Amino acid sequence: MSDNLALWHAVEKTDPRHTKPIVGKAYSGNSPKPHYLVHKATETFGPIGIGWGFSIVSERIEEGAGGDRMHFAHVRVWYEWDGKRGEVEHVGGTQFSGLRSSGKPFTDEDAPKKSVTDALVKALSMIGFAGDIFMGRFDDSKYITATRAEFEQAEAQAAPEAQEQPEPMPNTAAKVHWKTIADQMFDCTTLKQLQGAWNRHYRVYEQLPEDLQVELRKWKDELKDKLMAAAQPAIPPNFDKLETAE
């Protein structure tokens, strides 16, 4: 027998860190952040447009009380699950224009976008996304605390472990590498050659003991200064005394 709630149970829990309080409504509570649900849907079904997606079926503006105007969006969400395609539809609404509490009229140019987002969140909730919020579990502070701890623990376990520092290079091997780098630097006759030698051996250089690193850096800087000086055109001894020819 198939588990009809398998998908629901896979997506119903909401990370409290990705919720926001409901404001501007006659009721209070929490709502999931829309992009968190988009991320979670992508995690569950695959990239949007491939494993899941949505389309705007229709939009309309209706007159409300007191001259207010409401924007409504009808959205259809599709998804692939267990080799089958599913679809669910919902409607979202946002005030498009009206009067503020100060009596000043306004028009919200973002109302269509907000309506589509509202419809998308509601459609995803019908599949089970943020099911714990819409079923009222977030009214229990103990549930929120426990769920937050659960997500934080899972995140910590999934984080890659800190890479171990490489073991110090044995002294004999270090001196061999140190001499190789030094010999190749001293063979350089141009700045380009010097930089190339340094780049080729930089990873080995990082593993050398600090005292050998210091010595190599010192030699590199001295060679760099000499090569830079050699690249400059010779200046006549009496340069300051030369007069401009008339």
Side-chain angles (χ1 to χ4, degrees), residues 1-12 79 81-82 84 126-128:
M1 178 182 292
S2 62
D3 182 0
N4 292 334
L5 290 175
L7 175 55
W8 185 285
H9 289 154
V11 300
E12 67 173 335
Y79 59 95
W81 175 257
D82 198 21
K84 297 180 182 178
M126 300 297 289
I127 304 171

Side-chain angles (χ1 to χ4, degrees), residues 103-155:
K104 185 177 181 179
F106 76 93
T107 298
D108 186 355
E109 62 182 12
D110 289 328
K113 179 180 68 175
K114 293 176 182 177
S115 296
V116 170
T117 300
D118 183 35
L120 176 60
V121 169
K122 290 176 178 175
L124 288 173
S125 75
M126 300 297 289
I127 304 171
F129 288 88
D132 51 359
I133 290 180
F134 291 102
M135 292 183 72
R137 293 179 190 161
F138 264 61
D139 294 339
D140 183 354
S141 60
K142 292 182 179 179
Y143 175 83
I144 295 176
T145 300
T147 304
R148 179 183 288 108
E150 183 179 333
F151 274 97
E152 289 176 349
Q153 181 179 2
E155 191 175 88

